[in-house]
Amino acid sequence: MNENKVTIRVWGDFACFTRPEMKVERVSYPVMTPSAARGILEAIFWEPQIYYVIDSIRVVKRGRWVSFRRNEVISRISIDSAKTWMKSPEKLARISAGGGAADGTQRNTLALEGVEYIITAEVRLSELGSASGNTIRKYLDEIERRARSGKCFHRPALGLREFAADFDWEADAQRALERRAAELGDNWSGGINEDIGLMLYDVFDADERKQGFRWLSAEELAQLEVERAGAIAALPKSQRKAASKEPLARWEGRLIKPRAAFFHARVKNSTLDCHPERVKILNSGRN
C-alpha cells in the first residue's frame, strides 16, 4: 500500500458535477469527477509544497436526479467599474437578479440529491516542498488532524460552491465503504457497476503541478526590490530606463494554464478508478 495516501468521506444534500459540453443549462455527471475530488481536498488543506493525485472515488450513495430552476445574473462586474465605485460610492451600479430584472435570467439545473463518496488520493511533495526540507509525513498528519476536527481553508463543495459538503477522515477506504453499506442497511443500493463514458478528468495536469506555486511574502518582495535597484544601478545609463520598466516577478514556481483532459470513466463495484497511471488520459499531452 502507498503510505502517502489519504482517504476522506464526503457527503451533502445536493451535488452538480457539470458536464462541460452543456453550455448554458447545467447537467451533472452521475458521479463525482476527479477534478471535483481534488477541489474538496484542496479546500480542506492546501500548501504549495504538496499536490494531490486522485487515486479512486468510491460511491456510497449515488443520489437521485433532481431538476430545479433558479434566477441567475448574466452581467459581470468589470475591474474598472469596481475601481470607480471604490473612489466614488455614489456611482454604484447594482446588478439585479430575479423575475424581470435586466441582469437576470432563469436557468435550469439537473443535479443530484443525497450523495456520498469516499475519496482516496496520493499526497506528493512538489519541487518547492522537496527544497523546503519538510517530509511528506508532516503534511499527511496535518491533513488528518484537519479532517478529523472538521477544519478547512474554505467550505468544500460538491461541484457548485452553493452545494456545501460535509467531510470526515477515514483510515481505510474499502472498510469505510463496507461499514457505510452495513449502516445504510435496506437503503444501500448495492455495488454500482456502470460505464459512464467520457468524463472530465481535470483542467490542471498533475505533472505540471509538481513544481508548485506560491506568492512571495512582503519581506521577500522588498529584498528583491533592493537587489533589483542595485542591478539597475550597475547597468550603463542607456539601459537603466528599459530595465526599470521590466515587471518584477511576485511569485515562485510555475504558472500553468487550464487545459481540459478527459478519460473513460467506469464504476466497478462502486469504485471509480481514476489514477493517471492506470487510466488513459485524453487531450492532456500524455498521448
Side-chain angles (χ1 to χ4, degrees):
M1 295 182 64
N2 192 324
E3 295 182 354
N4 296 344
K5 287 183 179 178
V6 295
T7 299
I8 304 292
R9 182 170 61 90
V10 297
W11 66 94
D13 295 331
F14 296 98
C16 182
F17 310 108
T18 308
R19 305 179 71 102
E21 64 266 28
M22 304 302 175
K23 299 295 184 180
V24 179
E25 312 245 333
R26 299 183 185 91
V27 177
S28 176
Y29 283 110
V31 298
M32 175 186 285
T33 62
S35 59
R38 176 180 60 82
I40 288 176
L41 295 177
E42 291 179 348
I44 297 172
F45 181 77
W46 178 85
E47 286 284 350
Q49 290 84 5
I50 64 170
Y51 64 100
Y52 296 97
V53 176
I54 304 302
D55 179 85
S56 62
I57 300 172
R58 286 170 170 79
V59 184
V60 180
K61 295 169 62 178
R62 178 173 176 173
R64 67 180 185 89
W65 292 105
V66 59
S67 177
F68 50 84
R69 182 168 294 181
R70 296 181 294 176
N71 293 323
E72 301 182 8
V73 295
I74 57 177
S75 300
R76 296 182 179 180
I77 300 176
S78 67
I79 296 178
D80 292 338
S81 297
K83 291 179 179 179
T84 300
W85 299 339
M86 291 171 65
K87 296 178 181 178
S88 305
E90 68 277 3
K91 297 182 180 180
L92 173 66
R94 293 178 173 83
I95 293 179
S96 303
D103 302 314
T105 183
Q106 285 192 338
R107 287 181 177 171
N108 189 65
T109 298
L110 184 59
L112 299 167
E113 181 179 10
V115 297
E116 184 176 343
Y117 307 97
I118 300 173
I119 303 169
T120 301
E122 288 185 23
V123 183
R124 298 181 179 179
L125 282 175
S126 67
E127 294 179 9
L128 288 176
S130 299
S132 68
N134 294 323
T135 64
I136 193 66
R137 174 50 52 188
K138 169 186 175 182
Y139 300 107
L140 294 172
D141 292 342
E142 178 65 19
I143 295 169
E144 180 177 353
R145 285 195 298 269
R146 294 176 69 85
R148 287 186 182 278
S149 59
K151 293 182 179 180
C152 55
F153 176 71
H154 62 81
R155 184 68 181 268
L158 294 166
L160 299 181
R161 181 60 62 88
E162 57 265 39
F163 296 158
D166 295 311
F167 60 93
D168 198 3
W169 172 264
E170 294 289 349
D172 184 273
Q174 187 59 33
R175 290 181 181 178
L177 179 64
E178 295 170 357
R179 187 193 74 244
R180 288 295 294 140
E183 293 172 349
L184 290 171
D186 294 338
N187 294 325
W188 168 248
S189 56
I192 300 173
N193 295 279
E194 182 178 355
D195 190 337
I196 298 175
L198 200 63
M199 172 185 277
L200 177 68
Y201 188 85
D202 209 324
V203 294
F204 295 106
D205 189 89
D207 288 340
E208 294 181 341
R209 287 187 285 120
K210 68 170 55 177
Q211 184 173 350
F213 175 91
R214 73 179 183 93
W215 294 103
L216 298 178
S217 65
E219 293 76 12
E220 289 172 322
L221 286 173
Q223 181 62 32
L224 285 178
E225 290 285 3
V226 172
E227 295 174 358
R228 181 189 186 189
I232 292 175
L235 294 173
K237 289 185 178 181
S238 59
Q239 300 178 12
R240 293 176 186 175
K241 184 175 181 180
S244 63
K245 292 182 178 180
E246 291 293 328
L248 184 67
R250 299 179 176 273
W251 47 270
E252 178 186 10
R254 180 182 179 184
L255 287 173
I256 57 177
K257 296 181 180 180
R259 179 178 54 189
F262 298 83
F263 77 116
H264 196 114
R266 295 183 178 89
V267 180
K268 185 177 181 180
N269 295 328
S270 297
T271 301
L272 175 63
D273 185 7
C274 42
H275 195 285
E277 296 178 1
R278 297 193 299 266
V279 299
K280 185 177 181 181
I281 309 297
L282 306 175
N283 301 327
S284 65
R286 294 176 182 272
N287 53 324

